[in-house]
Amino acid sequence: MRARATTGKLAPSGNLMTENPTTGNGDPASRAAVASYVATLSADLAAMARKQGLETLGYLLEMARLEAESANRANSGTSGRI
């Protein structure tokens, strides 16, 4: 059984976690929601890992966060560049 984030709970970072998105049918809004959710969770997991001295795991989770943020920008049509 998978654990699900629920509305109103705080993530380890102190951020309010929202209900995890469904995978939907692959439309850009669903993809962006999933990418955003993965970015948030991986950032929190990276912080937890580093706090416990798991530096390599923290680094890999940060790479996952960056990739999810990049995918989110691609799905929303912004490049993030000025």
Side-chain angles (χ1 to χ4, degrees):
M1 179 182 278
R2 289 186 203 165
R4 287 176 48 122
T6 57
T7 303
K9 289 189 178 180
L10 290 179
S13 65
N15 294 330
L16 185 63
M17 294 185 345
T18 57
E19 188 69 24
N20 67 344
T22 63
T23 56
N25 59 4
D27 66 71
S30 293
R31 290 173 53 91
V34 170
S36 178
Y37 182 70
V38 169
T40 299
L41 287 181
S42 58
D44 291 337
L45 289 170
M48 289 171 55
R50 287 197 164 124
K51 186 175 180 181
Q52 296 300 318
L54 302 167
E55 295 300 322
T56 302
L57 182 57
Y59 171 80
L60 292 171
L61 288 162
E62 279 297 315
M63 293 301 102
R65 179 190 62 82
L66 292 171
E67 183 62 25
E69 288 175 351
S70 176
N72 193 17
R73 283 191 302 275
N75 286 318
S76 65
T78 60
S79 67
R81 295 182 190 164
I82 298 176

